[in-house]
């Protein structure tokens, strides 16, 4: 029997004007069956944006407040009575991140900002890679989860989107330890897939009106992509993101591992790409048409590597291992966040030369989790290459 295609809805939108964003989101959700297909009356709903760290809206680090409010409005109109909006950032608090983008003021349509700092241990015997999680309390109290991810690059997984966004359900201070327990891109992606299998998010929305390219997920550059993406299938949604930026979906571990573990598909033949425009009938398009209309071939993302042979897979792995976090001494302010967030026992980065000098790496200890790069508030750390003397 032929597999039912995973639908990914594209809503073109070139502005964060709240009314226009809401209308685009409303139209797209209707093409997936309406919000009632995802949330039932009386259910407690957790809306989970990407709050990587407290950051201003123009940096494109977090899900834009217009997208968050758009979903909260849709839920309120459907009669949702108890809605919590929250994420557990790797640095800072959920409240601080919400305040930074203006969610502490204005209309939240009856929803409240969650605390997301109190952890609850959850056993998951069905896990293929991860058998237990330390979730924020709000995750365990919710009946339905809606994920609002951000379109960004990622040093470890190449991109971060719908599959990666669920890592914010883990209490923030636990995140670094997770990179030690799941120390490479493949096994980390499998852990993320197990989170999906455990909590079963109902709907995924990607904010790609302004995306982040380059040194993501926290230190890259904003770039307009002028789209919102919607799907029940997180892997299919991330796959469409890949096609938009001319990145082979098979090079993204969260795609390949997610598909292998049954949370979605990255086979473009199994994905129905549908365009949502208010006042017009829905129309499906091919991946080639998608790229022609909305793609960005110049999007700065790591496209190196192939997947056709065992030798090429090995070469790709060795290239990935050759990357290392590198500190730009001119940008570094010696805040120590990279040191405090290093999950390696004994620290792979430290103030070996004193606090007057930038931290230095011991690359023999570094596991290439890029927690330091992800959390640096001054964009002073990049994923570079080893020099000969470091080998």
């Amino acid at each position: 029997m032929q597999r039912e295609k995973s639908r990914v809805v594209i809503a073109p939108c070139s502005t964060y004007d709240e009314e226009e964003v809401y209308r685009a989101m409303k139209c797209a959700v209707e093409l997936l069956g309406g919000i009632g297909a995802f949330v039932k009356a009386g259910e407690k709903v957790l809306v989970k944006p990407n709050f990587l760290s407290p950051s201003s809206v123009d940096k494109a680090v977090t899900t834009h407040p217009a997208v968050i409010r758009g979903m909260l409005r849709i839920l309120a109109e459907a009669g949702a009575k108890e809605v919590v909006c929250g994420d557990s950032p790797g640095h800072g608090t959920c409240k601080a991140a919400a305040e930074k983008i203006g969610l502490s003021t204005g209309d939240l349509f009856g929803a409240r900002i969650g605390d997301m700092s109190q952890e609850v241990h959850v056993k998951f015997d069905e896990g293929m890679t991860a058998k237990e999680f330390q979730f924020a309390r709000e995750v365990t109290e919710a009946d339905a989860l809606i994920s609002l991810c951000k379109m960004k690059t990622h040093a470890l997984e190449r991109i971060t989107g719908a599959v990666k966004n669920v890592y914010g359900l883990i209490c923030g201070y636990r995140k670094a330890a997770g990179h030690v327990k799941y120390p490479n891109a493949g096994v980390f992606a499998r852990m993320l897939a197990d989170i999906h299998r455990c909590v079963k998010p109902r709907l995924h929305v990607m904010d790609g009106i302004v995306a982040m390219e380059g040194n993501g997920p926290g230190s890259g550059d904003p770039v307009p992509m002028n789209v919102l993406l919607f799907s029940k299938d997180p892997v299919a949604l991330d796959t469409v993101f890949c096609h938009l930026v001319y990145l082979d979906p098979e090079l993204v571990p969260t795609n390949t591992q997610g598909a292998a573990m049954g949370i979605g598909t990255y086979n473009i033949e199994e994905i129905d790409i549908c365009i949502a425009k208010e006042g017009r009938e829905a129309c499906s398009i091919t991946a080639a048409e998608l790229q022609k209309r909305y793609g960005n071939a110049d999007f700065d993302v790591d496209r190196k590597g192939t997947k056709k042979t065992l030798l090429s897979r090995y070469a790709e792995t060795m290239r990935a291992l050759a990357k290392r976090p590198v500190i730009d001494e001119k940008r570094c302010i010696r805040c120590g966040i990279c040191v405090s967030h290093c999950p390696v026992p004994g620290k792979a980065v430290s103030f070996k030369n004193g606090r007057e000098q930038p931290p230095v790496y011991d690359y023999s200890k570094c596991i290439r989790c890029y927690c330091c790069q992800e959390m640096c508030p001054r964009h002073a750390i990049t994923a570079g290459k080893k020099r000969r003397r470091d080998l």
Side-chain angles (χ1 to χ4, degrees):
M1 188 172 68
Q2 188 175 10
R3 185 185 190 277
E4 182 181 356
K5 287 189 174 184
S6 292
R7 171 167 280 194
V8 177
V9 176
I10 308 292
C13 189
S14 60
T15 175
Y16 280 117
D17 175 82
E18 292 202 3
E19 191 63 29
E20 289 195 34
V21 170
Y22 160 75
R23 289 201 302 267
M25 294 181 71
K26 182 79 170 179
C27 181
V29 170
E30 289 301 317
L31 289 183
L32 291 173
I35 197 64
F38 305 102
V39 177
K40 305 303 179 186
E43 287 187 316
K44 298 179 180 179
V45 184
L46 174 60
V47 175
K48 195 278 181 199
N50 183 324
F51 285 167
L52 175 68
S53 61
S55 181
S56 58
V57 170
D58 62 329
K59 302 295 184 183
V61 172
T62 63
T63 308
H64 197 281
V67 176
I68 299 170
R69 286 196 175 99
M71 180 52 65
L72 298 180
R73 181 176 171 182
I74 290 171
L75 288 167
E77 290 174 346
K81 300 299 183 185
E82 189 169 350
V83 180
V84 176
C85 176
D87 183 20
S88 189
H91 172 61
T93 66
C94 179
K95 180 181 178 181
E99 288 178 346
K100 191 71 175 181
I101 63 172
L103 277 184
S104 59
T105 59
D107 192 356
L108 295 184
F109 303 96
R112 63 179 176 85
I113 302 298
D115 175 68
M116 301 295 287
S117 66
Q118 300 178 40
E119 70 176 28
V120 176
H121 179 258
V122 175
K123 294 186 68 176
F124 184 52
D125 293 336
E126 297 81 9
M128 297 180 184
T129 295
K131 299 288 187 180
E132 60 182 358
F133 301 104
Q134 301 291 342
F135 287 136
R137 176 177 51 80
E138 287 85 348
V139 180
T140 64
E141 294 175 346
D143 300 307
L145 172 63
I146 294 177
S147 174
L148 307 181
C149 60
K150 186 73 175 178
M151 182 183 285
K152 298 190 290 184
T153 51
H154 195 269
L156 182 64
E157 304 287 350
R158 297 182 191 254
I159 64 165
T160 173
V163 175
K164 175 67 169 58
N165 197 43
V166 296
Y167 200 47
L169 303 178
I170 304 293
C171 274
Y173 71 95
R174 292 277 186 179
K175 287 188 172 70
H179 283 284
V180 175
K181 190 172 184 179
Y182 310 103
N184 60 60
V187 72
F188 190 79
R190 290 182 63 83
M191 177 274 297
L192 293 172
D194 269 333
I195 296 179
H196 281 265
R197 296 175 63 242
C198 181
V199 303
K200 297 178 173 61
R202 304 269 183 90
L203 174 64
H204 303 272
V205 180
M206 178 177 284
D207 172 12
I209 298 175
V210 176
M212 177 182 285
E213 63 178 354
N215 192 32
S219 300
D221 300 310
V223 56
M225 289 296 292
N226 302 318
V227 289
L228 294 160
L229 281 64
F230 302 74
S231 186
K232 294 185 289 185
D233 181 335
V235 178
L237 189 149
D238 287 350
T239 296
V240 171
F241 169 18
C242 289
H243 282 281
L244 282 167
V245 299
Y246 293 76
L247 171 65
D248 184 343
E250 287 194 56
L251 293 178
V252 178
T254 49
N255 287 342
T256 55
Q257 298 301 323
M261 293 174 67
I263 67 169
T265 180
Y266 66 87
N267 182 351
I268 198 63
E269 301 301 324
E270 297 176 348
I271 300 173
D272 173 26
I273 305 172
C274 186
I275 305 300
K277 288 190 177 181
E278 193 175 18
R280 300 184 187 180
E281 290 188 10
C283 65
S284 295
I285 63 172
T286 65
E289 290 173 322
L290 171 80
Q291 290 178 331
K292 184 177 180 180
R293 294 190 196 183
Y294 308 108
N296 179 0
D298 296 324
F299 190 92
D300 185 3
V301 62
D302 181 9
R303 299 184 183 87
K304 296 186 294 293
T306 62
K307 78 292 181 183
K308 294 181 180 179
T309 68
L310 181 62
L311 180 61
S312 65
R313 288 177 187 271
Y314 176 76
E316 179 189 347
T317 301
M318 295 310 293
R319 278 192 293 271
L321 290 175
K323 282 187 176 182
R324 61 174 194 147
V326 178
I327 296 176
D328 183 337
E329 296 185 3
K330 293 181 180 179
R331 287 188 173 186
C332 178
I333 59 171
R334 290 71 160 161
C335 65
I337 289 176
C338 59
V339 176
S340 64
H341 278 78
C342 177
V344 178
K347 300 293 183 182
V349 59
S350 65
F351 284 105
K352 181 180 179 180
N353 299 327
R355 290 296 293 247
E356 295 77 21
Q357 300 295 322
V360 294
Y361 285 95
D362 180 347
Y363 290 111
S364 66
K365 293 182 179 179
C366 181
I367 63 172
R368 275 61 168 180
C369 65
Y370 305 107
C371 287
C372 54
Q373 177 260 359
E374 193 167 320
M375 291 294 107
C376 179
R378 297 305 294 265
H379 308 172
I381 303 176
T382 57
K385 296 287 185 179
K386 280 189 174 183
R387 297 165 297 184
R388 185 172 299 276
R389 65 175 178 268
D390 293 324
L391 293 172

